[in-house]
Amino acid sequence: MALSQQQVEQYHEDGFLMVEDLFTPSELQPVMDEISGLVDDLADRLYKAGKIADKHADQDFYHRLTALEKEFKGAAVLIHTNGWLGPELARLWSAPRLLDIIEQFIGPDIAGHPVWNIRSKTPDTKLMTVPWHQDTAYLAPGAERTLQPTAWIPFIDANAVNGGLEVLRGGHRSGKVARHRLENTAGSPGSWYLYVEDNELPQGEPVGCDMRMGSVLFLNQLIPHRSRENRSDKIRWSVDLRYQDPKLPSGDQGGSGVIVMRKAADPSFRVDWDRWAAEQRVAYERQRGLNTADPFSTQVSGMWMDRWRELA
Ligand SMILES: O=C(O)CCC(=O)C(=O)O
């Protein structure tokens, strides 16, 4: 699907663009099934380790992890930090429909960025509520000059009640990275998020990004955004997938490097997922400082914290 010139300009001007109904819900179903598999696997592991008394197998995609979270606080974090890239999510990430749009933003050479996430946003879970930030603050300084569009894709209609995103329109335009602070030194122990104080946020009109499932929100790496609280009774599942021109700095610190998805010079190019996925699994754990000795640890400590700690 090609964007209109006006949509491309709007993306660059506003720092975000919502493309409605890019996918049908049934096209997203295989990814949801894959995520359900991750939850099933976690339930098994928690049960076998004696951490929960019930695997809650009768609950659906929008409720099961909440039931697990009630029995084992941190279950949602463990899904978020799982780091296994399944074939269906890989297929979505490199879907021609997404790459065609990304090409209109950054040109015909496209790579996936190693920072990607499955967001297991269970209701009323502080650690799943992401405060105001610019994505580039999680990367090495200098990467803010690389255009790195994010595709944010919810697996439910997302809105102000269930924790849809909010952005500051035009807040990317100065090209500057605002001062970020560590949430875990500001009264949220256990948090790995960075945040910007309200009075230090770049200027921009707050826009709530309510969207139907199947729609995709494209963000600029410098646009300030946050997710709101999930006050509904359903999990607000989503994924965020990033892209850039492979020749430009990625700001990736300790990760697996970018994965080339499209090459202008080679129209028959095929993504080498197998090689990259094996490397990225190890790199993912290293990049997020995950405690591999304890499979149920919910601690995350990435290099982005070092970037901002001394300023805290
Ligand atoms: O999905 C969310 O709740 C937050 C997403 C986000 O902040 C991001 O993708 O950078």
Side-chain angles (χ1 to χ4, degrees):
M1 184 196 129
L3 297 179
S4 66
Q5 189 54 33
Q6 193 248 333
Q7 283 175 302
V8 176
E9 279 164 19
Q10 196 181 332
Y11 172 76
H12 291 303
E13 185 71 11
D14 290 347
F16 71 99
L17 178 77
M18 195 191 304
V19 178
E20 291 189 356
D21 305 320
L22 190 60
F23 298 100
T24 62
S26 59
E27 286 174 318
L28 297 179
Q29 191 60 49
V31 183
M32 293 159 65
D33 292 343
E34 196 168 80
I35 294 174
S36 293
L38 290 179
V39 176
D40 198 40
D41 173 64
L42 175 65
D44 266 349
R45 289 187 292 116
L46 287 171
Y47 187 78
K48 283 196 187 115
K51 309 252 179 217
I52 55 173
D54 185 338
K55 292 199 236 175
H56 300 283
D58 56 326
Q59 302 271 341
D60 68 15
F61 180 63
Y62 295 108
H63 297 93
R64 187 176 183 187
L65 186 59
T66 308
L68 295 172
E69 175 76 25
K70 281 207 180 96
E71 277 201 66
F72 181 80
K73 204 166 156 41
V77 174
L78 292 175
I79 291 296
H80 176 69
T81 58
N82 177 288
W84 180 72
L85 178 71
E88 294 302 337
L89 183 53
R91 213 186 317 277
L92 176 66
W93 192 357
S94 55
R97 237 176 288 173
L98 284 172
L99 296 187
D100 289 348
I101 290 177
I102 297 298
E103 181 165 340
Q104 289 186 269
F105 297 151
I106 70 171
D109 288 309
I110 302 175
H113 190 277
V115 176
W116 61 272
N117 295 291
I118 294 174
R119 306 276 177 175
S120 40
K121 196 171 165 79
T122 46
D124 301 308
T125 310
K126 175 84 182 84
L127 275 177
M128 288 295 126
T129 301
V130 185
W132 285 116
H133 67 284
Q134 296 163 299
D135 280 355
T136 195
Y138 284 84
L139 304 174
E144 68 274 10
R145 289 190 287 279
T146 301
L147 182 53
Q148 289 172 326
T150 294
W152 188 81
I153 308 173
F155 297 104
I156 190 169
D157 294 353
N159 53 49
V161 177
N162 68 6
L165 294 200
E166 187 175 15
V167 302
L168 291 183
R169 189 196 300 278
H172 66 305
R173 277 192 220 133
S174 74
K176 297 217 163 63
V177 188
R179 176 174 175 172
H180 284 66
R181 296 164 196 265
L182 276 53
E183 241 198 4
N184 70 10
T185 57
S188 292
S191 169
W192 58 90
Y193 296 122
L194 301 173
Y195 74 101
V196 182
E197 294 277 10
D198 285 353
N199 62 0
E200 292 174 330
L201 277 169
Q203 294 285 306
E205 174 206 356
V207 179
C209 299
D210 293 6
M211 53 202 279
R212 271 189 303 279
M213 174 169 165
S215 304
V216 178
L217 178 67
F218 294 95
L219 302 166
N220 177 286
Q221 73 282 358
L222 276 159
I223 186 96
H225 60 286
R226 67 171 172 180
S227 67
R228 294 164 286 180
E229 306 277 327
N230 182 355
R231 299 286 182 219
S232 75
D233 64 352
K234 289 188 176 162
I235 302 165
R236 196 234 61 203
W237 289 104
S238 64
V239 290
D240 37 89
L241 311 168
R242 293 172 179 74
Y243 306 86
Q244 68 167 82
D245 180 328
K247 295 183 292 302
L248 300 177
S250 70
D252 173 32
Q253 306 182 88
S256 50
V258 301
I259 170 149
V260 176
M261 292 188 177
R262 191 172 267 186
K263 279 185 175 177
D266 179 4
S268 59
F269 179 78
R270 290 275 165 274
V271 187
D272 187 357
W273 283 114
D274 290 345
R275 186 194 56 75
W276 189 80
E279 284 170 17
Q280 82 95 37
R281 187 58 242 247
V282 178
Y284 186 99
E285 286 163 0
R286 188 175 59 231
Q287 198 249 351
R288 296 177 190 218
L290 300 181
N291 179 350
T292 43
D294 174 4
F296 303 114
S297 164
T298 54
Q299 260 193 338
V300 181
S301 64
M303 297 180 194
W304 62 89
M305 293 181 166
D306 302 333
R307 173 173 177 184
W308 297 101
R309 185 172 285 115
E310 64 273 22
L311 287 175

